[in-house]
């Protein structure tokens, strides 16, 4: 049961003015071509994926005030009260991007989300590998990237679901939180959406200008990854388990675990992991 709270709608005109512009290249306001807000949909990612066949559509933003079929990694579903968070997806086309680096986009989005939350919400947000955003060990945002096309131009829809004013009674699981519960400096969704999308534009543009190299991006990610240095349990398919110290994130964005009891470090990709958490 959702609490009946006063949750104002997002201001589409103000967001378009701030984020969609015909200004000079390099201005974050010039990055996005379109920005639309819908009152309700199943999934903003699914909606943009359905439109991705239009090759002219690029840097398109879709925000929903309510999603009834929101999805996370491993097809996990989540539903939040209307206007209690930010559910946003962006279609990005990346000419010249090597296909083996597409997996860095959700990690880059995680860096952008952490930067935005630290800056405007003034919370100590960190990344739990690969791309959950946490505050004090609880998840405040999730990221899902889905490939729209690999040729002729690599194209990805990346979505962010951010909990803003969800109350303790509305939390889907005890391991989740919201900016309101974390005593954030602001819970104004217009301010947060603007900061998040501007930071994503800046991070993406820097990556493109670096010719899709991952050295700088990986360093930025490591600096924000709260998983590194922790002893973890990685649950793998076929009921396998890996216990050890999370020591690094490699050039492919995989978490590197030094197994308990010695042995060679093991690099685990996001696709291999069922769950990763600190070992108690």
């Amino acid at each position: 049961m959702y609490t009946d709270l006063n949750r104002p709608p997002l201001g589409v005109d103000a967001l378009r003015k701030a984020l969609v512009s015909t200004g000079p290249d390099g201005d974050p306001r010039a990055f996005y071509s379109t920005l639309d807000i819908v009152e309700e949909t199943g999934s903003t990612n699914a909606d943009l994926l359905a439109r991705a066949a239009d090759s002219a559509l690029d840097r398109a933003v879709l925000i929903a005030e309510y999603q009834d079929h929101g999805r996370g990694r491993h097809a996990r579903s989540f539903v939040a009260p209307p206007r209690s968070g930010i559910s946003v997806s962006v279609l990005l086309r990346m000419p010249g991007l090597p296909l083996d680096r597409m997996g860095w986009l959700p990690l880059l989005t995680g860096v952008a989300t952490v930067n935005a939350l630290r800056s405007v919400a003034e919370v100590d947000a960190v990344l739990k590998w690969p791309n959950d955003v946490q505050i004090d060990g609880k998840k405040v945002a999730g990221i899902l990237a889905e490939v729209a096309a690999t040729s002729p131009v690599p194209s990805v829809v990346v979505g962010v679901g951010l909990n803003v004013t969800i109350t303790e009674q509305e939390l889907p699981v005890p391991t989740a939180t919201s900016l309101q519960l974390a005593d954030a400096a602001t819970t104004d969704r217009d301010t947060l959406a603007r900061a998040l999308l501007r930071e994503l534009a800046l991070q993406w543009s820097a990556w493109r200008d670096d010719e899709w190299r991952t050295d700088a991006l990986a360093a930025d990610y490591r600096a924000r990854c709260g998983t590194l240095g922790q002893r973890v349990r990685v649950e793998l398919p076929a009921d396998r388990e890996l216990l050890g110290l999370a020591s690094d994130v490699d050039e492919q964005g995989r978490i590197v675990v030094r197994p308990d009891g010695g042995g060679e470090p093991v690099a685990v990709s996001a696709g291999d992991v069922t769950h990763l958490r600190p070992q108690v």
Side-chain angles (χ1 to χ4, degrees), residues 64-149:
E65 296 284 28
Y66 175 68
Q67 286 190 123
D68 59 11
H69 284 84
R71 295 170 292 139
R73 292 179 62 242
H74 304 300
R76 298 186 183 106
S77 62
F78 65 90
V79 177
R83 301 179 181 176
S84 66
I86 296 171
S87 299
V88 56
S89 297
V90 183
L91 171 63
L92 294 167
R93 303 195 188 274
M94 294 167 284
L97 175 73
L99 295 182
D100 62 358
R101 297 179 196 171
M102 292 180 77
W104 274 100
L105 181 60
L107 277 65
L108 176 148
T109 306
V111 170
T113 303
V114 165
N115 287 356
L117 294 184
R118 289 181 179 181
S119 175
V120 299
E122 298 178 20
V123 291
D124 188 18
V126 297
L127 287 163
K128 175 188 173 185
W129 184 89
N131 46 32
D132 281 350
V133 181
Q134 293 188 334
I135 300 172
D136 294 330
K138 293 188 174 184
K139 183 175 176 178
V140 72
I143 295 160
L144 176 65
E146 297 179 277
V147 176

Side-chain angles (χ1 to χ4, degrees), residues 32 86 88 112-113 116 160 191-201:
Y32 299 103
I86 296 171
V88 56
T113 303
V160 180
T191 298
L192 293 163
R194 187 165 56 247
L196 173 59
L197 288 166
R198 281 181 172 167
E199 189 63 34
L200 178 60

Side-chain angles (χ1 to χ4, degrees), residues 34 36 43-54 57 59-63 88-93 148 156-158:
T34 64
D36 296 302
S43 161
T44 53
N45 263 32
D47 290 350
L48 280 184
L49 284 168
R51 297 169 56 193
D54 177 3
L57 188 67
R59 303 185 186 185
V61 178
L62 180 62
I63 304 174
V88 56
S89 297
V90 183
L91 171 63
L92 294 167
R93 303 195 188 274
V156 178
V157 173
V158 62

